[in-house]
């Protein structure tokens, strides 16, 4: 018996095999979860189809979901309702900022870049939670999103994404208070740096990896598997009394004054 047997989870943000969302999806499937996967566009659909072939006992349901397109989030969950009827979990692992906004002086952030980062990286959690809630309300559920230390510290080069992650973590608290009476929990994982494609776009990312490995109490960086196991906990019934929290999965780096 797996921890997720009989549970259906929607996962957003799988871009390739290095994606944190991919590690979470594989961990959930190994514990018995039925997966519903969202992708942004046709290019991402092709990439996702290549990844899932042979990776799961059953081919997951897949449908488009673009946080920047009006009605796309709602259309995904309408399709999910037709496919699964009910939903037990939601994994939000999407974020985006213009490359030119990640580096240089934060004061030079453009309004367009600021608004886009907020729309994709933070507000989309609100939109997805709103659309998912009716599918969870009868038996409750768990919403999980991905954050980073840059939400609470000024990390060099993270800039506008740090502000978006701060908004994301605030969303977690407000959504937890709002959805709690319906039995829906909302939490976040603040993961240490992992070599994802998006992370490599942050100026100085390689030096961040080296600093964490050298100074974190566990003297290592974290992996997809580390985050996947923490996500499994927060999406399973083992965390039934936990909501509105940010769980740091970073080898202890966040406790240091560096």
């Amino acid at each position: 018996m797996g921890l997720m047997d009989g549970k259906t989870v929607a996962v957003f943000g799988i871009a390739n095999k290095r994606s944190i969302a991919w590690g979470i999806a594989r961990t959930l499937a190994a514990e018995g979860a039925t997966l519903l996967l969202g992708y942004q566009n046709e290019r991402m659909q092709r990439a996702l189809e290549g990844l899932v072939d042979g990776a799961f006992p059953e081919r997951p349901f897949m449908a488009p979901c673009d946080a920047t397109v009006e009605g796309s989030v709602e259309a995904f969950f309408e399709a999910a309702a037709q496919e699964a009827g009910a939903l037990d979990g939601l994994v939000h692992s999407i974020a985006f900022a213009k490359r030119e906004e990640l580096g240089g002086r934060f004061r030079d952030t453009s309004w367009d870049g600021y608004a886009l980062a907020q729309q994709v990286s933070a507000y989309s959690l609100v939109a997805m939670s709103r659309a998912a809630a009716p599918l969870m309300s009868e038996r409750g559920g768990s919403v999980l999103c991905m954050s980073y230390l840059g939400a609470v510290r000024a990390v060099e080069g993270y800039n506008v994404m740090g502000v978006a992650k701060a908004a994301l973590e605030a969303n977690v608290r407000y959504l937890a208070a709002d959805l709690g009476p319906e039995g829906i929990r909302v939490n976040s994982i603040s993961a240490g740096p992992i070599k994802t494609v998006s992370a490599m776009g942050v100026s100085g990312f390689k030096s961040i990896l080296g600093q964490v490995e050298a100074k974190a109490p566990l003297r290592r960086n974290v992996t997809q598997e580390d985050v996947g196991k923490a996500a499994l906990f927060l999406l399973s019934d083992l965390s039934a009394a936990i909501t509105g929290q940010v769980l740091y999965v970073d080898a202890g780096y966040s406790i240091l004054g560096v």
Side-chain angles (χ1 to χ4, degrees):
M1 295 290 290
L3 287 172
M4 300 299 291
D5 279 353
K7 295 185 181 295
T8 301
V9 182
V11 179
F12 301 89
I14 299 174
N16 52 57
K17 65 181 180 181
R18 289 188 174 184
S19 298
I20 292 175
W22 178 242
I24 293 173
R26 297 196 68 180
T27 302
L28 295 176
E31 290 291 329
T34 297
L35 300 178
L36 311 176
L37 307 181
Y39 55 83
Q40 183 184 13
N41 50 41
E42 290 184 0
R43 179 178 64 83
M44 299 306 298
Q45 179 185 9
R46 291 192 295 271
L48 186 58
E49 288 175 344
L51 278 176
V52 302
D53 282 343
F56 303 109
E58 296 182 7
R59 188 175 179 84
F61 168 84
M62 294 182 288
C65 185
D66 187 335
T68 65
V69 175
E70 185 175 355
S72 182
V73 169
E74 292 77 9
F76 176 90
F77 285 98
E78 288 173 5
Q82 293 290 325
E83 173 69 18
L87 195 62
D88 301 284
L90 163 62
V91 177
H92 175 286
S93 185
I94 65 173
F96 181 79
K98 294 181 178 180
R99 182 175 291 272
E100 60 266 27
E101 309 285 8
L102 299 174
R105 302 185 305 183
F106 177 67
R107 74 180 82 167
D108 295 328
T109 302
S110 68
W111 166 244
D112 287 346
Y114 188 99
L116 180 61
Q118 289 285 339
Q119 180 185 20
V120 176
S121 311
Y123 179 74
S124 57
L125 178 67
V126 180
M128 288 182 179
S129 297
R130 180 172 60 244
L135 304 183
M136 295 182 173
S137 58
E138 288 189 9
R139 58 191 189 191
S142 178
V143 176
L144 177 65
C145 65
M146 304 306 304
S147 190
Y148 175 60
L149 186 61
V152 295
R153 296 189 189 177
V155 174
E156 185 177 358
Y158 206 52
N159 289 9
V160 71
M161 186 55 72
V163 177
K165 291 296 187 182
L168 181 73
E169 291 188 6
N171 287 345
V172 166
R173 293 185 285 273
Y174 280 94
L175 285 169
D178 188 26
L179 296 172
E182 299 171 43
I184 300 172
R185 298 176 291 112
V186 186
N187 293 290
S188 176
I189 289 175
S190 183
I194 296 176
K195 288 183 180 179
T196 63
V197 172
S198 58
M200 295 301 288
V202 176
S203 177
F205 180 75
K206 289 184 179 180
S207 66
I208 293 173
L209 284 172
Q211 182 178 12
V212 170
E213 184 175 10
K215 296 183 177 181
L218 295 181
R219 296 296 191 271
R220 69 176 181 88
N221 283 290
V222 299
T223 65
Q224 278 183 323
E225 291 75 18
D226 293 323
V227 178
K229 290 174 183 178
L232 172 64
F233 166 68
L234 289 172
L235 289 160
S236 75
D237 294 337
L238 293 177
S239 59
I242 299 175
T243 194
Q245 303 302 310
V246 178
L247 175 63
Y248 284 85
V249 183
D250 63 353
Y253 185 80
S254 56
I255 70 170
L256 304 177
V258 295

